[in-house]
Amino acid sequence: MRALRRRRRLDLRDRIVARHARVGTAFLWTLAAGAIGGPLILSYVRDERALGSSHAFFAALAFVPLVAGGVLGRRLRRGRGSPRDRDLHVFAMACGLAAALVAGALGLGLLP
């Protein structure tokens, strides 16, 4: 009976980790699209300086730890990470998400 419960818990954990990895991958692809598309749209469509706003500064500030957190998460998913990598993954994503929240709030001022 205990073995069955343990197996169910492990199956649930595997599903949660798989979902976390899927959502994280989609988030990083969306982030990359915004990092490429945002300056292009701003410079070519709206004829403004692409990287001259505070939104661009905080977006660039958010981009680095978010990508680092994604790389660490991928390493952990493939089983090559250490417990230190997990802590760095959490810290990098928390810092990146905080900067992204500020960038998002500043980006509202850029809307037409």
Side-chain angles (χ1 to χ4, degrees):
M1 187 70 151
R2 285 185 184 178
L4 182 60
R5 283 185 193 157
R6 184 168 188 264
R7 196 174 89 220
R8 282 185 188 161
R9 265 188 282 142
L10 289 177
D11 289 342
L12 177 64
R13 185 179 186 284
D14 288 342
R15 287 195 312 260
I16 290 171
V17 168
R19 181 176 52 202
H20 176 83
R22 274 195 319 271
V23 170
T25 302
F27 173 75
L28 287 175
W29 279 110
T30 305
L31 179 76
I36 294 168
L40 288 177
I41 289 172
L42 199 59
S43 62
Y44 292 115
V45 175
R46 294 182 63 187
D47 292 328
E48 295 180 20
R49 273 186 48 207
L51 301 175
S53 66
S54 57
H55 168 75
F57 173 75
F58 279 99
L61 192 66
F63 189 75
V64 173
L66 288 174
V67 170
V71 169
L72 288 167
R74 187 172 183 184
R75 184 184 299 171
L76 289 167
R77 181 78 173 130
R78 292 184 173 188
R80 295 189 310 224
S82 66
R84 182 171 183 256
D85 288 341
R86 183 179 184 278
D87 292 339
L88 285 173
H89 169 73
V90 171
F91 182 72
M93 294 307 266
C95 291
L97 288 174
L101 181 66
V102 173
L106 291 170
L108 293 176
L110 297 175
L111 293 174

